[in-house]
Amino acid sequence: PPENASSKLLKKLQKSKEKGKKKLMKLAKLMSSADPAQRSKLQRKLDKQLVKLAKADSSASDEERGNTPSTPSVAPKLPTYRTPISAVLSSTPEEKLRRENRLQRFQASAAPSTADTTTLQSLRQHNARAEGTSAALEKEYLRLTAAPNASTVRPPKVLAKSLDLVKQRWSEDPGSGNYKYVCEQLKAIRQDLTVQHVHTALTVNVYETHARIALEMEDTAEYNMCQTKLKMLYSEGLRGKEEEFASYRVLYALVTKGDVQKELRSMSPHMYMHPYLKHALQVCTAVNLKDFNRFF
């Protein structure tokens, strides 16, 4: 009977496989007796023959299993551009302007700085007075990521004037519209005091001012930070409006359902006779007894 196409293809693949093996053995014998110059050429031929033999072996195995050899997929041709895209984009006016601005920024950053880069930390290491030299009354508040330069920190004399300016601005325009500016300025003053390790009456005044304004604007986060710092300053013997802020702590504990007794135990006995504390205790009594007539 006549052979079908599949059996003919299988025989053809097997013959090709046998021829490839013979050629492979022949190349291997030639390489063993060849000089180094010819050996590299024979090695390339041997590699090609190994690839062909592997393909023939794979095709024959597929035919024996009844699988049709898969045709390799042809990748779609990408469009070619005579002019590169980068060149087209760089020729636009917008891209030219961006590149010029970028170049100016790099030149400015690479230029040697003539500003004073002495830090407060280096001044302390040389037993010098670690005090800032800036005379600016207003300053943007930024979180420190490195040791501050003395030229960007204001000394206590300048900070006292800055605090007076903030108080004046708040008295002229108290309210939510001006609170962001006032809060930023007070935080900048507090930061300059902290980096210079200034613990004086000025420090107490700054934190008391900020706590009052934050309490008025219901900014409990800033109020609590100021109260924590004030308790530490009062414990160091610094004088301020201690009775006033003790009454604030009592009322705050009452409103937030905190431990009022703990706050009272932390105070000196003579403070109970102050009008601020008397008023705070009367409020606590009215709330606990639910005596709304007395409360209002």
Side-chain angles (χ1 to χ4, degrees), residues 223 227 243-267 272 276-277 279-285:
Y223 164 77
Q227 272 282 30
E243 293 83 1
E244 175 188 354
F245 284 89
S247 66
Y248 292 156
R249 291 200 301 274
V250 171
L251 294 173
Y252 185 80
L254 177 67
V255 172
T256 58
K257 301 183 188 286
D259 193 346
V260 176
Q261 294 298 325
K262 181 181 178 181
E263 293 294 342
L264 293 173
R265 286 194 297 269
S266 65
M267 301 174 190
Y272 296 148
Y276 291 152
L277 262 299
H279 176 263
L281 291 174
Q282 289 173 0
V283 172
C284 290
T285 302

Side-chain angles (χ1 to χ4, degrees), residues 68-83:
T68 56
S70 59
T71 57
S73 59
V74 180
K77 292 185 177 180
L78 297 175
T80 57
Y81 297 93
R82 293 184 179 180
T83 306

Side-chain angles (χ1 to χ4, degrees), residues 2 12 15 25 32 67 75 99 152 162 183-184 190 250 287:
K12 186 177 180 180
K15 287 181 180 179
M25 294 296 294
S32 61
N67 298 332
R99 292 191 178 192
T152 62
S162 180
C183 183
E184 183 181 72
R190 285 162 46 187
V250 171
V287 171

Side-chain angles (χ1 to χ4, degrees), residues 38-273:
Q38 293 178 344
R39 191 173 297 174
S40 60
K41 294 180 181 180
L42 292 173
Q43 182 64 47
R44 288 195 293 270
K45 291 182 179 180
L46 183 63
D47 293 338
K48 290 181 181 179
Q49 189 61 33
L50 284 171
V51 173
K52 289 181 180 179
L53 185 60
K55 288 181 179 180
D57 191 14
S58 176
S59 299
S61 300
D62 290 339
E63 191 64 32
E64 287 175 358
R65 290 193 298 266
N67 298 332
T68 56
S70 59
T71 57
S73 59
V74 180
K77 292 185 177 180
L78 297 175
T80 57
Y81 297 93
R82 293 184 179 180
T83 306
I85 295 296
S86 59
V88 174
L89 293 177
S90 63
S91 62
T92 61
E94 293 81 3
E95 181 63 22
K96 287 181 179 180
L97 181 60
R98 281 196 292 268
R99 292 191 178 192
E100 288 177 2
N101 293 335
R102 194 181 304 121
L103 179 61
Q104 290 175 2
R105 290 199 304 270
F106 288 157
Q107 289 175 347
S109 61
S113 176
T114 57
D116 184 13
T117 58
T118 305
T119 63
L120 297 176
Q121 186 177 3
S122 64
L123 289 176
R124 293 191 190 94
Q125 290 175 352
H126 292 85
N127 296 323
R129 188 177 182 182
E131 192 172 277
T133 58
S134 174
L137 293 181
E138 295 175 302
K139 177 183 173 181
E140 182 183 5
Y141 172 73
L142 297 172
R143 292 185 181 274
L144 295 177
T145 57
N149 292 335
S151 60
T152 62
V153 178
R154 296 165 293 181
K157 290 182 180 180
V158 177
L159 292 175
K161 295 179 181 179
S162 180
L163 178 61
D164 292 338
L165 177 63
V166 173
K167 288 181 177 180
Q168 180 184 348
R169 294 284 179 86
W170 182 250
S171 63
E172 292 173 353
D173 182 19
S176 58
N178 199 27
Y179 179 65
K180 184 178 180 181
Y181 162 80
V182 169
C183 183
E184 183 181 72
Q185 293 302 312
L186 288 170
K187 288 171 73 174
I189 294 173
R190 285 162 46 187
Q191 186 182 72
D192 285 352
L193 290 169
T194 301
V195 297
Q196 295 175 100
H197 301 285
V198 178
H199 285 190
T200 62
L202 173 63
T203 312
V204 176
N205 192 4
V206 170
Y207 279 92
E208 287 179 345
T209 301
H210 200 173
R212 289 191 192 98
I213 296 174
L215 194 60
E216 183 178 348
M217 297 305 300
E218 300 181 2
D219 187 352
T220 56
E222 289 296 336
Y223 164 77
N224 284 323
M225 282 191 285
C226 292
Q227 272 282 30
T228 302
K229 184 69 174 181
L230 284 170
K231 287 181 70 174
M232 185 188 71
L233 294 172
Y234 293 148
S235 66
E236 293 177 359
L238 294 172
R239 301 299 301 168
K241 305 295 183 180
E242 190 173 355
E243 293 83 1
E244 175 188 354
F245 284 89
S247 66
Y248 292 156
R249 291 200 301 274
V250 171
L251 294 173
Y252 185 80
L254 177 67
V255 172
T256 58
K257 301 183 188 286
D259 193 346
V260 176
Q261 294 298 325
K262 181 181 178 181
E263 293 294 342
L264 293 173
R265 286 194 297 269
S266 65
M267 301 174 190
S268 302
H270 73 276
M271 295 176 65
Y272 296 148
M273 304 306 297

